[in-house]
Amino acid sequence: MPNPAYSVRIHIPPDADAIVESVLADAPGTVARRADEPDVTGARRITLDADGPRTLAWLTRTLAHRLGADLLHAQDPVFTTASTGKLTLRVCAATSTGHDVALLDADADRRVVSHLAAHPEQIDRYTGRGHRVALISDASAVLGFEELPADAVLPALESQAVHLRRATGLDVFPLPVATPDVTDIARAVRILAPGFAAAVLVHTRLDRVTVTHAALGPTPPVLLLDTINDGLAPATAAATVNALVNRGLNPLSARVIVVDPAAGGDLAGLLIACGIADLTLFDPFTHRADALHTIADGADLIVDLTAFATPPPGVPVLRARPDTPPAFGATTTGPRPLHALPGLLTAATTTRRAITGHARVAAVYALIENTPRNALLPPTDQPGLTAVVAAAATRALDNDPDRDRG
């Protein structure tokens, strides 16, 4: 299938279209026209989506060769989008008159700062901190890459910031941190805490996320979430329950195996909380590969967090590897952190309370209840999804005796 991540946008004279058609006819893979628009001169702007990197490389090379001077311009939309930075700050204060600007001057700031020094409980009321989120990564787990330099994670962080901004309306700031030591992540969170209502750890190895939570203790200086425990785990738990129900099975009596449970964060606990009592946790790194065939015989579902599990024939598999989520067009077929994370983040920033296990379970049930018939999950862009997950999590936080312990 054509994939917009492998596309090229070309600008050609109108009489060169026949050459483009001949190139498409000869393509070694699938190529689709995504857009075809004339400009003011009658020339054509055409976007072509290929099915992968090899087809795209062939396509760009062949178009340049066959069109020659008729190729007025060509660009790669992926890199064009990345070069914009994807999001920017907006000015909320009025600045159209000299009086407006004077309200941003030193004397005005001195009044507000002195007031907040005496009344720190009003900081969120008189600043933007209450709707500001730090999106933090040490680039240790970026889409299946080995550990990267911190600044190399920026494109992925910026994309996540856009998605969270669209879903929640919060101001999300992508902040890569260079951390030679894992404890530096907690130090960075502490340093940033005064300016943010919440921080989200993303594209960071789960063991480092765990160390960070432990280092910050039971009362962290800022609401702290992460894309595994507060994103992928609730979404995968919901998909697991739906996968069983869609096959006419009762989750309370179903036999489920989780492959590489260490990669799932709070997933095992969420599955148990959802009533799945017959749960086997299989570590593929300490057992022989064929051991899965032995224990999976007769299982109702395998939840695979590795993408490499090969179960016996006839045993359904739910693929939920953290670094290979389904495309946005297929989010009813597999879990993404964006199924649950925006709602949980909204609940945390609204209530000013840390997300608890009860809130995550509530998010799981909200996803289950809002999943279309015979699907595994709702689309991530389903209208109102963030709101219903946030409402469910908020109710759980309001009634959770452990809410302050996170």
Side-chain angles (χ1 to χ4, degrees):
M1 294 289 293
N3 184 342
Y6 303 101
S7 59
V8 61
R9 189 173 294 148
I10 60 174
H11 190 195
I12 61 170
D15 57 0
D17 189 59
I19 300 176
V20 174
E21 286 295 330
S22 69
V23 171
L24 299 186
D26 294 339
T30 303
V31 181
R33 287 191 183 224
R34 182 62 55 188
D36 188 343
E37 303 169 347
D39 66 12
V40 292
T41 69
R44 309 278 286 280
R45 299 184 185 275
I46 302 173
T47 299
L48 304 170
D49 292 347
D51 58 7
R54 291 184 179 179
T55 302
L56 177 62
W58 180 93
L59 184 63
T60 54
R61 183 174 61 250
T62 306
L63 285 169
H65 174 70
R66 295 194 191 176
L67 286 168
D70 283 336
L71 184 59
L72 304 178
H73 184 65
Q75 62 181 187
D76 188 320
V78 164
F79 286 90
T80 301
T81 299
S83 66
T84 66
K86 299 178 185 174
L87 73 168
T88 187
L89 290 173
R90 58 188 176 91
V91 176
C92 298
T95 58
S96 57
T97 69
H99 189 273
D100 293 335
V101 174
L103 297 179
L104 307 175
D105 211 343
D107 285 341
D109 289 342
R110 188 175 290 109
R111 288 190 59 208
V112 178
V113 169
S114 62
H115 176 81
L116 295 181
H119 304 281
E121 74 282 358
Q122 296 184 17
I123 288 176
D124 286 349
R125 179 180 179 182
Y126 293 118
T127 71
R129 184 179 70 176
H131 52 79
R132 194 177 297 135
V133 176
L135 198 62
I136 299 173
S137 174
D138 68 347
S140 60
V142 186
L143 305 174
F145 289 99
E146 296 294 330
E147 192 164 343
L148 296 170
D151 49 5
V153 75
L154 262 174
L157 268 185
E158 289 167 346
S159 290
Q160 289 292 318
V162 170
H163 294 315
L164 286 176
R165 165 68 186 179
R166 289 183 64 206
T168 66
L170 296 166
D171 296 327
V172 185
F173 292 77
L175 299 170
V177 293
T179 55
D181 188 277
V182 64
T183 58
D184 288 342
I185 303 175
R187 182 169 178 266
V189 171
R190 287 194 186 95
I191 291 170
L192 294 168
F196 294 90
V200 181
L201 297 178
V202 56
H203 296 307
T204 298
R205 271 177 23 200
L206 184 56
D207 61 321
R208 297 189 176 194
V209 171
T210 302
V211 168
T212 301
H213 278 287
L216 292 172
T219 55
V222 67
L223 298 167
L224 184 62
L225 294 83
D226 68 86
T227 53
I228 300 297
N229 292 295
D230 301 300
L232 186 77
T236 304
T240 299
V241 173
N242 284 331
L244 295 169
V245 171
N246 289 346
R247 294 173 51 222
L249 299 172
N250 185 344
L252 301 179
S253 57
R255 182 169 173 238
V256 176
I257 299 172
V258 177
V259 179
D260 194 16
D266 198 26
L267 175 60
L270 292 177
L271 291 174
I272 292 171
C274 290
I276 297 177
D278 192 347
L279 183 64
T280 301
L281 306 181
F282 179 77
D283 183 353
F285 305 106
T286 59
H287 297 86
R288 291 172 45 185
D290 58 0
L292 179 60
H293 281 249
T294 302
I295 66 170
D297 187 30
D300 295 302
L301 181 68
I302 291 177
V303 180
D304 178 26
L305 298 171
T306 68
F308 304 119
T310 54
V315 179
V317 180
L318 170 62
R319 305 288 184 183
R321 186 176 179 182
D323 57 6
T324 55
F328 281 110
T331 54
T332 59
T333 64
R336 289 188 72 114
L338 289 167
H339 279 107
L341 180 60
L344 289 173
L345 179 59
T346 299
T349 55
T350 300
T351 64
R352 302 294 194 268
R353 295 172 183 161
I355 293 300
T356 64
H358 290 84
R360 294 183 187 118
V361 172
V364 173
Y365 281 112
L367 290 174
I368 293 171
E369 292 165 5
N370 285 272
T371 298
R373 184 177 179 84
N374 296 322
L376 291 181
L377 287 161
T380 53
D381 60 354
Q382 179 170 298
L385 182 62
T386 294
V388 297
V389 172
T394 297
R395 287 192 297 271
L397 290 173
D398 287 341
N399 297 294
D400 186 355
D402 298 327
R403 65 192 182 196
D404 295 326
R405 291 199 287 272

